Amino acid sequence: MNLHLSNNKIHREIPKCFNNVGNGSLETLDLSHNNLTSAEHLSMRNFYFLDLSFNMLQGDLPIPSFSIHFFLVPNNKLSGHISSSFCNASSLEILNLSHNNLSGHIPKCLVTLPYLKTLDLQMNKFVGTIPSNFSQGNSLQSLHLRNNQFEGRLPLSLTHCKQLQILDVGANKIRGEFPNFLEALSELQVLILRENKFYSAIYRSNTNHPFSELRIFDVSNNHFSGSLLATYFKEFKGMINVDYVASGLNYMENKGFYESVKVTLKGYEVELVRIITTFTTIDLSNDMFDGEIPQVMGELNSLKGLDLSHNKIIGPIPQSLANVTNLECLNKLTGEIPPELANLNFLEVLNLLENKLVGAIPRGKQFDTFSCDSYEGNLGLCGSPSSKACNQDEGKLPQPSSSTNDKLGSGWKPVALGYGCGMVFGMFMGRVAFSIGKPLWLIRIFEGRPKKQAKRTRKTTVPNHRRMT
């Protein structure tokens, strides 16, 4: 028997009468989006599906029955630990305990459940290390551990999760080198390592076609260093030639439940409560990467977000990025701004602050919508919307001159220099003379007084010139 009572105004405790509905044959109960504060009197004996999400449940976490398949209690105020009794629920497929106040360690037996497809523990206060005993042949497709206090390293046993599509361990205290052993997960589409303590360069193993399905790659706010690995980006086939028409407006889901992750999108940190299957982004910000931006990034023509800000990246912006026609967010790159980028019709966010960019700011299409705030701190840029006008050769490096130019240069450059200096000196002396009121010495010079007198007069005026200077 099924009973759906979501989005009502049921409050306080769950009525005891639910235990007698259908003479105890109630298998599906949906009480989500209400104002319940306690599940104390609810019997868990026969439930196949139980959804208590988005209530105000307090106290300890209810323990589901061994026969339950779907147990959902996210977005409540539950506290305490996960009891080892959860491991008796060997039929569990979806376990969502996210957005509560749960703490303690994860029972190791939890990651050995054979049918578990989604384990969502994000936004709690769990501590310790991630269990290292993921079983071979498990069914796990999504693992959400974001915003807890996990420490240690990512376990190598994650390679047993051959069906894993989403791995989100962001905002913890996990450390270690880049986990390139995850290349073995051929179904992986979302990899989020942001806000941890990872370090060293990102390097690949000997796996053929690593991360070929990856669409969200976020390693921001760590201590990764070294150059950007072009061989990795070249393998991100999930970001190339996406057919938006054929894909339609579809979302990543598991057994009918939408997956959610948190990303930085268009300069803001947002939680995607539904991940559209065509969404692609790379976030490498706030690390220690150096070197140049690989040209191969221009091959990721379905990329929507690219953030390389707050690194040590140098060199020009690759012209190949003009091929990324669906790009909506481009943050903080270095070098010159290729005019071809003006053809990015979908570009909505541009952040090039505090770099050493030079030359003219491209005009046309989306670039005409960006204010001067997008370019602050780049003294070498010119043209609208900046206040600096562009000369004809603005931003160009000096070219070696030929022998003919050298000969011409030896003639006109001293003349121009002398003319400029003479004009400045003349204006200055004129100001000095007329400020005295009676420039008689100057009149005598031009009236034809002897040179000796003129020299003597200049000697007496030089000290005055120095004092005024």
Side-chain angles (χ1 to χ4, degrees):
M1 182 176 179
N2 303 328
L3 182 60
H4 298 274
L5 296 173
S6 62
N7 289 286
N8 283 286
K9 297 182 180 179
I10 304 175
H11 58 90
R12 297 184 181 178
E13 297 180 351
I14 297 177
K16 294 181 180 180
C17 60
F18 284 139
N19 296 324
N20 300 319
V21 174
N23 295 321
S25 63
L26 184 63
E27 294 183 347
T28 297
L29 178 59
D30 184 355
L31 292 172
S32 62
H33 296 273
N34 282 289
N35 297 314
L36 295 169
T37 58
S38 174
E40 181 179 356
H41 301 298
L42 184 64
S43 173
M44 298 284 180
R45 288 178 297 177
N46 299 314
F47 284 123
Y48 173 90
F49 177 100
L50 179 60
D51 188 353
L52 301 175
S53 59
F54 291 93
N55 279 283
M56 294 185 290
L57 297 176
Q58 301 180 27
D60 292 336
L61 182 66
I63 300 175
S65 66
F66 71 93
S67 61
I68 199 165
H69 286 242
F70 301 85
F71 186 60
L72 315 170
V73 290
N75 297 87
N76 281 284
K77 299 180 180 179
L78 296 168
S79 56
H81 300 177
I82 299 178
S83 170
S84 58
S85 299
F86 266 76
C87 300
N88 295 327
S90 57
S91 299
L92 265 174
E93 296 182 47
I94 307 291
L95 178 59
N96 191 339
L97 311 179
S98 64
H99 295 82
N100 279 287
N101 296 314
L102 300 172
S103 57
H105 294 73
I106 301 177
K108 289 187 175 182
C109 56
L110 202 61
V111 299
T112 65
L113 298 177
Y115 305 109
L116 190 64
K117 298 183 184 302
T118 294
L119 178 59
D120 194 341
L121 305 179
Q122 61 184 306
M123 301 297 296
N124 279 286
K125 299 177 181 178
F126 292 112
V127 298
T129 59
I130 299 173
S132 59
N133 59 320
F134 288 88
S135 60
Q136 293 191 15
N138 67 71
S139 303
L140 199 62
Q141 295 180 13
S142 57
L143 179 60
H144 301 267
L145 302 178
R146 170 173 58 90
N147 276 90
N148 282 284
Q149 300 176 31
F150 291 114
E151 299 176 326
R153 298 172 180 265
L154 286 181
L156 286 171
S157 61
L158 279 170
T159 57
H160 296 157
C161 306
K162 299 299 184 182
Q163 302 179 46
L164 195 64
Q165 299 178 11
I166 299 176
L167 176 59
D168 183 358
V169 296
N172 280 285
K173 300 177 182 178
I174 303 171
R175 64 189 311 272
E177 298 181 352
F178 179 74
N180 59 0
F181 57 85
L182 297 177
E183 296 173 9
L185 304 179
S186 59
E187 301 295 323
L188 194 63
Q189 299 181 41
V190 177
L191 178 58
I192 299 180
L193 307 178
R194 61 181 295 160
E195 296 179 57
N196 277 285
K197 297 182 179 181
F198 291 103
Y199 56 86
S200 80
I202 293 182
Y203 59 95
R204 60 178 290 184
S205 66
N206 296 324
T207 305
N208 292 327
H209 309 298
F211 301 130
S212 59
E213 297 295 322
L214 205 61
R215 296 186 292 104
I216 298 178
F217 183 60
D218 187 347
V219 297
S220 62
N221 291 277
N222 281 285
H223 302 288
F224 289 119
S225 59
S227 59
L228 301 179
L229 195 60
T231 54
Y232 257 149
F233 299 127
K234 192 173 183 178
E235 298 294 340
F236 290 177
K237 304 300 184 183
M239 304 182 187
I240 301 175
N241 297 330
V242 174
D243 191 338
Y244 294 99
V245 177
S247 300
L249 194 62
N250 295 317
Y251 299 93
M252 293 189 69
E253 59 179 271
N254 198 343
K255 289 290 184 177
F257 296 96
Y258 295 113
E259 303 286 1
S260 67
V261 294
K262 181 176 286 188
V263 298
T264 299
L265 181 61
K266 299 181 181 180
Y268 297 94
E269 190 175 81
V270 296
E271 182 170 6
L272 302 178
V273 293
R274 296 181 180 185
I275 309 173
I276 192 170
T277 55
T278 55
F279 178 72
T280 56
T281 183
I282 295 177
D283 193 343
L284 309 177
S285 63
N286 291 284
D287 278 295
M288 302 171 64
F289 293 113
D290 54 29
E292 296 187 356
I293 304 169
Q295 287 282 345
V296 72
M297 275 195 167
E299 296 181 11
L300 308 179
N301 54 15
S302 298
L303 192 64
K304 287 187 174 292
L306 175 61
D307 194 343
L308 305 175
S309 61
H310 302 289
N311 281 286
K312 300 178 181 179
I313 299 171
I314 59 173
I317 301 174
Q319 292 185 0
S320 61
L321 284 182
N323 299 325
V324 190
T325 54
N326 293 286
L327 195 64
E328 296 179 359
C329 180
L330 178 62
N331 283 356
K332 213 165 191 176
L333 304 178
T334 59
E336 297 182 355
I337 307 178
E340 292 86 354
L341 295 187
N343 295 322
L344 299 178
N345 295 327
F346 295 97
L347 191 62
E348 296 182 12
V349 175
L350 182 70
N351 177 3
L352 301 174
L353 305 178
E354 304 297 335
N355 283 286
K356 297 180 180 180
L357 297 170
V358 297
I361 298 173
R363 305 307 306 156
K365 297 183 179 180
Q366 289 299 97
F367 268 75
D368 288 342
T369 67
F370 302 133
S371 67
C372 58
D373 295 340
S374 298
Y375 310 100
E376 285 185 358
N378 294 279
L379 302 181
L381 286 178
C382 63
S384 178
S386 75
S387 58
K388 181 181 178 182
C390 288
N391 297 324
Q392 184 176 1
D393 297 327
E394 189 72 46
K396 294 182 179 180
L397 295 175
Q399 300 297 321
S401 58
S402 64
S403 57
T404 304
N405 290 336
D406 290 339
K407 292 178 181 179
L408 291 174
S410 63
W412 67 266
K413 289 181 180 178
V415 173
L417 182 62
Y419 176 80
C421 295
M423 183 177 67
V424 173
F425 180 76
M427 293 175 65
F428 174 76
M429 291 305 298
R431 181 177 178 183
V432 172
F434 285 101
S435 65
I436 297 174
K438 294 181 179 181
L440 297 179
W441 61 272
L442 189 60
I443 296 174
R444 293 190 186 102
I445 292 175
F446 291 99
E447 284 181 348
R449 289 295 183 105
K451 293 181 179 179
K452 186 176 181 180
Q453 181 65 27
K455 291 180 180 178
R456 185 165 56 248
T457 304
R458 282 196 295 270
K459 290 179 180 178
T460 60
T461 59
V462 169
N464 290 332
H465 164 68
R466 290 177 177 169
R467 282 196 296 272
M468 294 191 69
T469 302

